[in-house]
Amino acid sequence: MSAEERLERATRLCAGRGARLTPQRARVLRILIEAERPLGAYEILAEMAEGQRALAPPTVYRALEFLLAQGLVHRLETLNAFIDCRHPERPHPAQFLICSACGRVVEIDDEAIAARLLDAATQSGFAASRKVVEVIGVCEGCR
Amino acid sequence: MSAEERLERATRLCAGRGARLTPQRARVLRILIEAERPLGAYEILAEMAEGQRALAPPTVYRALEFLLAQGLVHRLETLNAFIDCRHPERPHPAQFLICSACGRVVEIDDEAIAARLLDAATQSGFAASRKVVEVIGVCEGCR
DNA sequence: GCGCAAAACGTTATATTGTATCTTTTCGTG
DNA sequence: CACGAAAAGATACAATATAACGTTTTGCGC
Ligand SMILES: [Zn+2]
Ligand SMILES: [Zn+2]
Ligand SMILES: [Zn+2]
Ligand SMILES: [Zn+2]
């Protein structure tokens, strides 16, 4: 799926929800999609500054907040970075494989893991809301 | 298990490994054990400054680095905070349940989750080294 | 004990990541 | 157009983490 197609899908999803994917927000999303790797907020900021007057951090953080709420991007806690979601149609508990050698990130969507985790939380009396699962390792190509 | 007992256990473990649990490091560990909740590095720093001349951030970060390497504490990625480990005898992939209401954290050690995760990573060609699993939710007492 | 190298620690400065607050602009609606 | 709400701009700052470098302490072979 090309970058353009993914952007169009995002536009469609937001339209269907009455959410406003403004040019600014779409620009942040585009940067993330085209990067094909996780980007820190300040990396995005630097991208956006290219050829324009510099923007301030809250601009990027607010756009990211929107995109996170719409499920169009995920936050990687171990990297303090953001990556676009490959299956933004519906909310899902995502798991990430992060290569410590090349930085590549793979999003997997393993229902069994999510279910087992939910189960363990319930057994401990927790009502789970957000599940953060990130595996740091070395990808196939880097071995 | 009391705070003293846990400190003694840590002392014993380090001695057996030839690792130096210096007074400074033990102090950081004690602060974490007695807090009974996750603490940020700067919270620890503030604790250590009580009644003494102020210390600088690297002091705490270095002590934490040692304690992490020894498996005596864990880092909570979603909170940028640290918590003492309840089962430091051997390395283990830990999972955490974090109450967003009261801040309480429970460490669970579910082998099935770890195994399933390792399996998923392997299937995607990843050699997993570190597994971060944190569930944000609301604990029993807070509902 | 002596000398040495490694480890630990102190200190200063700085990098990185993230927010608070207030103002201005934009956009949809009546 | 008038209005209110949402978004964006702008400034300042808070919170978290590390770099760099020098000094002290420690363990160890001699
Ligand atoms: Zn996703
Ligand atoms: Zn790789
Ligand atoms: Zn543990
Ligand atoms: Zn609670």
Side-chain angles (χ1 to χ4, degrees), chain B residues 11-21 25 66 70:
Chain B
T11 306
R12 197 171 352 104
L13 285 170
C14 287
R17 295 171 187 163
R20 292 174 55 196
L21 184 64
R25 292 163 173 174
F66 170 86
Q70 294 301 319

Side-chain angles (χ1 to χ4, degrees), chain A residues 31 37-49 60 80-82:
Chain A
I31 288 170
R37 67 179 179 91
L39 294 180
Y42 281 72
E43 284 182 290
I44 297 171
L45 198 54
E47 276 289 325
M48 295 189 77
V60 166
N80 291 335
F82 303 85

Side-chain angles (χ1 to χ4, degrees), chain A residues 99-104 138-142:
Chain A
C99 178
S100 51
C102 68
R104 200 165 65 92
V138 180
C139 80
E140 198 150 26
C142 288

Side-chain angles (χ1 to χ4, degrees), chain B residues 4-131:
Chain B
E4 291 309 324
E5 285 170 329
R6 284 199 263 160
L7 269 167
E8 280 165 26
R9 175 176 58 180
T11 306
R12 197 171 352 104
L13 285 170
C14 287
R17 295 171 187 163
R20 292 174 55 196
L21 184 64
T22 63
Q24 189 110 259
R25 292 163 173 174
R27 180 125 184 270
V28 169
L29 182 57
R30 171 186 290 279
I31 288 170
L32 279 173
I33 288 175
E34 292 180 346
E36 296 187 333
R37 67 180 180 90
L39 294 181
Y42 281 74
E43 284 182 289
I44 297 170
L45 198 55
E47 277 288 326
M48 294 188 77
E50 302 272 311
Q52 346 224 136
R53 75 176 176 293
L55 297 174
T59 302
V60 166
Y61 280 102
R62 284 192 287 231
L64 287 170
E65 186 180 20
F66 170 86
L67 296 170
L68 285 167
Q70 294 301 319
L72 295 169
V73 312
H74 294 291
R75 178 184 162 84
L76 297 169
E77 295 292 342
T78 55
L79 299 178
N80 291 335
F82 304 84
I83 193 169
D84 69 294
C85 172
R86 301 308 176 105
H87 318 98
E89 288 81 6
R90 60 188 90 19
H92 54 268
Q95 301 105 29
F96 299 94
L97 308 176
I98 301 169
C99 178
S100 52
C102 68
R104 200 165 63 92
V105 172
V106 174
E107 175 178 350
I108 60 181
D109 197 355
D110 189 319
E111 288 299 335
I113 293 173
R116 187 77 194 79
L117 205 48
L118 181 62
D119 200 50
T122 305
Q123 278 183 26
S124 295
F126 270 74
S129 57
R130 180 175 171 226
K131 305 183 197 68

Side-chain angles (χ1 to χ4, degrees), chain A residues 71 74 84-88 92 94 96 107:
Chain A
H74 294 290
D84 70 293
C85 173
R86 301 308 174 105
H87 318 97
H92 54 267
F96 298 94
E107 175 178 349

Side-chain angles (χ1 to χ4, degrees), chain A residues 16-85:
Chain A
R17 295 169 186 165
R20 293 175 54 196
L21 185 64
T22 63
Q24 189 108 260
R25 291 164 173 173
R27 182 128 180 268
V28 170
L29 182 57
R30 171 185 291 279
I31 288 170
L32 279 173
I33 288 175
E34 292 180 346
E36 297 186 333
R37 67 179 179 91
L39 294 180
Y42 281 72
E43 284 182 290
I44 297 171
L45 198 54
E47 276 289 325
M48 295 189 77
E50 301 274 310
Q52 345 223 138
R53 75 175 174 294
L55 297 174
T59 302
V60 166
Y61 280 103
R62 283 191 289 233
L64 287 170
E65 185 180 22
F66 171 87
L67 296 170
L68 284 168
Q70 295 301 317
L72 295 169
V73 312
H74 294 290
R75 177 184 164 82
L76 297 170
E77 295 292 341
T78 54
L79 299 178
N80 291 335
F82 303 85
I83 193 168
D84 70 293
C85 173

